[in-house]
Amino acid sequence: MVPRRRFFGSNSPMAEGDPIRIIPHRGVDDDSGSFEVCFADGRKSVRFYWDNLVSRRLSPNTLTRDQAIEKATALARAEIDKLNNPE
C-alpha cells in the first residue's frame, strides 16, 4: 500500500507519517532560496530565507545558506523532541 500524501503550499508531498519535514526552495539562482519547516498537524510552516550574496540581501535578517539550514534543522529537532517527550 502506498502512503497517502498531503500537499502543502510548495506542492511538495509530505508522507502522512512524517510529523515534520524540511523542504528546500531554490531562488532565482543557486545563491539564494529558503528552507521551509512544515508541520503535519496543520500548523503554519516556518521559512528561513537565505542569500549567499551579501550585496543582494534586502534585509539584515537574511541568512547564509549554512545558517538557514542550521536554524531549520534546530527547529525541526526541537519540535520532534516535543512530540517524543510530551510533558
Side-chain angles (χ1 to χ4, degrees):
M1 181 173 167
V2 177
R4 291 183 345 131
R5 298 195 176 269
R6 296 181 191 179
F7 287 87
F8 291 86
S10 65
N11 291 329
S12 295
M14 175 181 271
E16 196 160 316
D18 294 342
I20 298 169
R21 184 162 180 212
I22 298 174
I23 301 172
H25 299 278
R26 280 185 61 187
V28 293
D29 55 28
D30 289 335
D31 290 319
S32 65
S34 67
F35 292 102
E36 180 180 12
V37 180
C38 294
F39 306 97
D41 62 6
R43 285 182 283 162
K44 186 176 178 180
S45 63
V46 178
R47 281 194 184 217
F48 296 91
Y49 294 94
W50 62 272
D51 195 329
N52 283 337
L53 297 177
V54 177
S55 63
R56 197 170 57 191
R57 292 183 191 158
L58 297 176
S59 166
N61 297 329
T62 303
L63 308 166
T64 65
R65 184 182 192 285
D66 291 339
Q67 291 169 327
I69 191 64
E70 186 176 309
K71 287 183 177 264
T73 302
L75 174 61
R77 283 187 182 142
E79 292 298 323
I80 288 172
D81 286 345
K82 286 181 191 176
L83 292 173
N84 292 335
N85 301 310
E87 293 180 22

